Structures are given as structure tokens and as C-alpha cells.
Amino acid sequence: MSAIWHPFTQHGLNEPIPLVDRAEGAALFTRDGRRVIDGISSWWVTTHGHNHPRIMAAVRDQADRLDQVIFAGWTHQPAETVAQGLRALMPAELTRVFFSDSGSTAVEVALKMALGFHAHTGTGRSGIVVMEHSYHGDTIGTMSVGERGVFNAAYAPLLFDVGTIPFPAGDGDNTLSALATLCRDTRPAALIVEPLVLGAGGMLFYPPAVLAQMAAICRAHDVLFIADEVMTGWGRTGTLLACEQAGVVPDILCLAKGLTGGSMPMAVTMASEPIYAAHLSTDRAKTFFHSSSFTANPIACAAAAANIAIWQDEPVRDRIAALAARQTAMVERLADLPGATNPRTCGTIAAIDVVTPDGGYLSTLGPRLLAHFRDNNLLLRPLGNTVYVMPPYCLDTEDHARIEAGIAQALHNLA
Ligand SMILES: *Cc1c(COP(=O)(O)O)cnc(C)c1O
């Protein structure tokens, strides 16, 4: 009997919890001798594949030199290399790199930077605008800017109020007019959005033109634009950043999951020069007061530096394009099966909905699908009645076909 209390796991359902011994590429190997295909990149983090030789070599090498050092007032080469690499790879306007440990902390840092900017420049603005169905993390601040529901109902007394714009319908006029009204009437500090794809909200996609217009409205009203690319970053939507497809450069950018290729916990919040300049002073009260014990851990930085080098030297974009084309072909075939609806892809992300009378996260369909996929040696984790595939970019055609067959079989069983 394990003492572990697992995340997002209802232990009362007594579902089996497989023990994973090792991983390679798109495959996980369990203690009981199974080879499981990782169809969701171990919760959206693994980009190039598990145990990538270049990343693991960098980790091993760094582990021999420097394990950990305080980052307040000290620095080290792996962090400097990551910062230089991000400056080279990410939009030129994002001149500053702040390290933290997870997507949630990257978002908390972004919110604090936005509030700090307005406090130190004396604009009197403090509110945050968010999009309906968004997910930005599970800490108190990130739950506050995320969709309210069963996930956070018990903690609602601790959450702060935000302005909410609707998810874009059609050409997004509903979203844009709501945003313009909120920006004019409530003078908020910032808008935070997941660009192009609302992940945990159910793999909901909206067009780049809407993203571009949201950014333009923010700019026109002096509202900071925060892009939470924790999931969409590092190629997931077909480009390095989803914002690229809209020609948008955010004021503040959150990156995590794929930053280390998914191998180590680490995040960065990148900021434009005016955000940094607002904190720059001989007045110690304007210091950016945020830190965690392991900020910019050298071993995690070595993994991130290796990931950045892979993006710089290898044809990652070609691999992504090839995978994206196969994903599109897969959902088009699956959509022809009875019980499947709303096929959609955005870059390497493919999703379909299963027709059910009770949609939503607690749909009874979820546990049945989960069990089916587990029995078929597939790591797929439907969001309610939405089945999605978000594999590592190294997934080969054979394993891809196994995923497709597993989903087709699930639809067949349900019909
Ligand atoms: C996963 C996710 C987060 C939270 O990241 P953690 O590393 O799990 O804290 C934040 N925003 C988005 C869009 C995410 O998908």
C-alpha cells in the first residue's frame, strides 16, 4: 500500500496506478513489462522525446559540476546560456528573462510583474482580464485567473475577482467587443490568455486573427498583454510560439513544460524592457520581490540549454510539420466513425469529441475511456468527452497507427 497522494487522482475509485521504470522516445516501460505509447507527452511536457540523448548528456555533465546555488545576487553559466539562447530564439522585444520552477509560478510571476509595472509607474490600474474556459495553473493566483468550476469550487473564498471575456465564437466579435468594453470601462492592468489553444479547457481552438485583434485592443488601451504559452510554446501549435501565427509579441511571456524538452521542472517569464525598467531604481522598495529556493537550478538550466541547442541545430520545425500532417489525416479518418464529432487540429495537437448526453469534465465517459486506453497500452487522458493526442515530436508512424487504432476501437466499443 503506497503512501502517495497522487495529483488529480480520485483514490476512492481504486484505479490501477502503473509503475514506470524507464522511458525512451515516445515509449514508457512499466515494471510489469508493458510498453506504453505516450500519446500526451506525459501531460504536455515531452517535446523531442523521453530521455533525449543530448538533454540527458547535458544533465549528467552539469550534475558533476554544480548542483544548486542561490540565484539572488549570484549567477552561473547554465542560466546565462539559457538567457542568451532565449534572447536569440524568442521575439527581440522580450529583453528580460526571469526564472521559476513551473507553469503556475511563471504565471504568478507574470501577474506580479504586471501589477508591479502599474504600481511603480503610478497608473492606478490593478485588475486582470481573462478568457472564459482558460487554465493557467493550480496555485491560488492562477486558479483566480482560470475557469471556475469543480476543480476549484472548494477554494473559491480565496480566489480574487477578474473580468472575463467570452471564448471566441465565429470571427470572435463577441470576445473583441467584450474586451474593448472591459478595457475602456474598468481600466485593467493586464489581459492573460492562452494563445490559439485553451488546453485544459478542452482543447478549444480559436483563430490567429482573434489573437491579433485582442493584442491590438490591449495596446490601444495601455493594458498589458500576457501570453501564457506554457502549453502552446516550443512548437506545439506548429510554430515555436503560438503568438507567431498572429504576428503578436506579448508584453510578458510565460514558458515552462517544453522549456527543458520536458525533462526537468523549470519555467521562465520573459518581459519587455518597459516592464523591467518600471522596477529599475535605486529604491529597494521597487525590487521585484519574487523568488523560490530552486530558482534557475543549474541542472534544470543545463537541460533547457540543451533543448534550445536542439531547436537551433536540428530540423525540429520539419519534424513538427510532418507530425502535424499525420495528426490531421488521423482525425479526419476518426471523424468518419460513428460517435465522433468536431475533429480539429492545431499543429501537433489533434482532438475529437465523443458524442455523449453528459459532456464536461465529470462525464461518465472519461473513466471508461481511460480504462480502455490503459488496457491497450496507450497513455491517453481524455478531457471529459474530448479525446486528444499530443505526442512527442519523435512519434513514429507505427506507434501513431496504434494510437489511431486504439481510439477507433474505443469509438467502436461505445457505439
Ligand atoms: C500546464 C499549464 C500551466 C501550469 O503549469 P504547471 O507546470 O503544471 O504549473 C499553466 N498554463 C497553461 C496554459 C498550462 O497548460
Side-chain angles (χ1 to χ4, degrees):
M1 180 56 168
S2 169
I4 296 170
W5 190 344
H6 285 265
F8 267 70
T9 300
Q10 178 44 273
H11 285 277
L13 298 177
N14 277 314
E15 286 166 330
I17 297 183
L19 193 152
V20 178
D21 267 335
R22 64 185 182 89
E24 191 185 337
L28 306 173
F29 298 90
T30 64
R31 171 78 54 90
D32 59 6
R34 292 183 298 131
R35 178 183 184 277
V36 177
I37 303 167
D38 187 350
I40 61 163
S41 298
S42 282
W43 245 354
W44 319 349
V45 299
T46 310
T47 47
H48 313 295
H50 286 279
N51 279 41
H52 192 283
R54 279 182 80 174
I55 297 174
M56 299 325 279
V59 165
R60 272 191 297 273
D61 183 54
Q62 183 56 39
D64 280 340
R65 291 165 197 270
L66 174 65
D67 55 345
Q68 162 68 13
V69 66
I70 179 175
F71 207 60
W74 293 76
T75 193
H76 51 77
Q77 192 54 50
E80 298 296 340
T81 305
V82 171
Q84 280 165 19
L86 289 171
R87 286 284 286 118
L89 215 49
M90 298 295 162
E93 293 88 337
L94 297 170
T95 49
R96 302 289 164 173
V97 180
F98 191 94
F99 287 92
S100 65
D101 311 305
S102 71
S104 299
T105 54
V107 170
E108 297 278 357
V109 164
L111 297 173
K112 285 173 72 172
M113 282 178 176
L115 271 281
F117 171 85
H118 287 289
H120 302 326
T121 56
T123 65
R125 292 164 176 263
S126 60
I128 305 293
V129 177
V130 309
M131 185 184 279
E132 176 193 21
H133 302 314
S134 294
Y135 177 81
H136 297 291
D138 282 339
T139 56
I140 299 296
T142 59
M143 282 192 293
S144 296
V145 295
E147 178 80 359
R148 306 298 166 92
V150 64
F151 310 102
N152 45 42
Y155 329 117
L158 295 182
L159 307 187
F160 56 78
D161 289 334
V162 293
T164 304
I165 56 174
F167 181 78
D171 57 8
D173 274 352
N174 60 330
T175 307
L176 300 172
S177 62
L179 178 60
T181 304
L182 276 177
C183 285
R184 197 184 52 228
D185 298 350
T186 68
R187 301 188 70 251
L191 166 73
I192 180 163
V193 284
E194 295 169 82
L196 303 189
V197 181
L198 274 55
M203 297 302 155
L204 308 174
F205 304 157
Y206 64 91
V210 178
L211 181 62
Q213 291 181 72
M214 285 195 294
I217 291 169
C218 287
R219 194 123 304 161
H221 289 86
D222 294 323
V223 173
L224 296 175
F225 184 82
I226 305 173
D228 176 356
E229 296 240 19
V230 168
M231 188 276 276
T232 51
W234 303 105
R236 274 296 162 204
T237 67
T239 41
L240 175 63
L241 295 180
C243 280
E244 243 172 272
Q245 295 178 42
V248 163
V249 176
D251 298 297
I252 305 177
L253 170 69
C254 305
L255 296 171
K257 294 190 168 120
L259 172 59
T260 59
S263 63
M264 302 275 288
M266 171 134 121
V268 295
T269 306
M270 295 186 72
S272 66
E273 198 60 17
I275 311 273
Y276 177 78
H279 293 80
L280 190 63
S281 170
T282 51
D283 178 0
R284 286 163 63 207
K286 291 189 177 177
T287 302
F288 186 56
F289 292 110
H290 191 96
S291 167
S292 59
S293 307
F294 291 103
T295 302
N297 172 262
I299 301 175
C301 282
N307 168 52
I308 291 167
I310 289 168
W311 272 90
Q312 285 169 330
D313 317 337
E314 295 185 21
V316 180
R317 289 169 182 81
D318 297 344
R319 287 177 202 148
I320 287 172
L323 175 63
R326 276 160 38 204
Q327 287 277 72
T328 304
M330 178 188 73
V331 282
E332 279 169 4
R333 286 188 296 268
L334 288 171
D336 286 338
L337 300 178
T341 178
N342 195 15
R344 54 201 187 274
T345 48
C346 183
T348 69
I349 308 167
I352 50 160
D353 296 340
V354 179
V355 180
T356 162
D358 64 333
Y361 185 83
L362 294 185
S363 162
T364 53
L365 197 64
R368 286 156 68 202
L369 286 171
L370 208 55
H372 166 84
F373 294 134
R374 204 171 37 228
D375 292 346
N376 284 275
N377 293 334
L378 299 174
L379 170 48
L380 293 176
R381 201 183 149 94
L383 289 158
N385 65 323
T386 299
V387 177
Y388 70 91
V389 182
M390 194 193 291
Y393 307 151
C394 64
L395 182 76
D396 65 22
T397 50
E398 208 174 308
D399 282 344
H400 211 168
R402 288 202 190 105
I403 290 175
E404 180 174 345
I407 297 173
Q409 185 64 48
L411 289 166
H412 177 80
N413 293 352
L414 292 166

